[in-house]
Amino acid sequence: MIEIINPNIIRGRIRHALFDFDGTLSLIREGWQDVMIPQMVAWLLETPEHESEAELSAVVKDYVTRLTGKQTIYQMIQLAEEIRKRGGEPKDPLAYKYLYLDALWQRIQHRVADLKAGRIPPDDMMVPGSRAMLEALRERDVLCYLASGTDEPYVLDEAAALQVTPYFAGIYGAQDDYKAFSKKLLIDRIIAEHALSGPEFVAFGDGYVEIEDTVRVGGIGVGVATNEAERAGIDEWKRTRLIQAGADVIVPDFREHAALVAYLFEP
């Protein structure tokens, strides 16, 4: 299940690794698109010059998917632009973000509560093999970081609920001042602070952004094309987007972590 897209990467030199959170390690927010997309379509249906519901759904799905991995605010900025295009007067994008977060919380709050109460084992809310993958990297003294487009307080809380906080040298998420943080800024900082050459850095993610930003600096991009609902198999939509972003390797999850680590660390 390990698909090598680029067989020419330089292997065996990884020192630092970046992980996306939602959909790459965590399944707490599985189904978030089923909250965001209908909510945005409903707002667009209130505009004076809107298309059909089906046409709007296609428009929204396209930009939501394209911006996955970036901070949530960017999807809301695009929403505001789409409302304006159709003759509407949008709210501040931050207001839309908080309306979405409130709606999402209604969907996932029981998952977080059950994790914290011990009613759900943490690994049941994670992409299969995630903890073993983190353990394998720690055994090789790879310094790991967690970065998410989700707001940082939620990332910190949910990482603690999943009991993965100790694996990371730093955990980073979105800020209300959205220009203060991005995965690109974080990757550039890690590369500069540790004087890394490209193949000494690897990123694991199910979104376009972290893979594109990693490949841009010569790092190794491992696309995690997780089928979040089934917890098994490949999500073909993700796979296609990840390859377009420049992923060097595609995996469905981390079940084959031993083989993946062996491949990445083999000189």
Side-chain angles (χ1 to χ4, degrees), residues 42-104:
W43 285 324
L44 287 168
L45 283 169
E46 295 172 357
T47 60
E49 302 165 18
H50 66 77
E51 307 93 305
S52 70
E53 185 172 349
E55 289 171 316
L56 288 174
S57 293
V59 169
V60 172
K61 182 177 180 181
D62 179 70
Y63 73 72
V64 165
T65 304
R66 173 168 47 84
L67 295 169
T68 295
K70 297 192 79 167
Q71 297 178 64
T72 304
I73 192 66
Y74 285 98
Q75 289 153 328
M76 303 305 162
I77 290 169
Q78 185 66 46
L79 168 68
E81 180 58 29
E82 298 296 334
I83 290 173
R84 196 173 289 112
K85 282 182 192 176
R86 292 162 177 79
E89 187 59 43
K91 298 180 173 70
D92 186 293
L94 202 57
Y96 288 119
K97 186 181 89 165
Y98 283 113
L99 288 168
Y100 157 70
L101 289 175
D102 287 345
L104 179 61

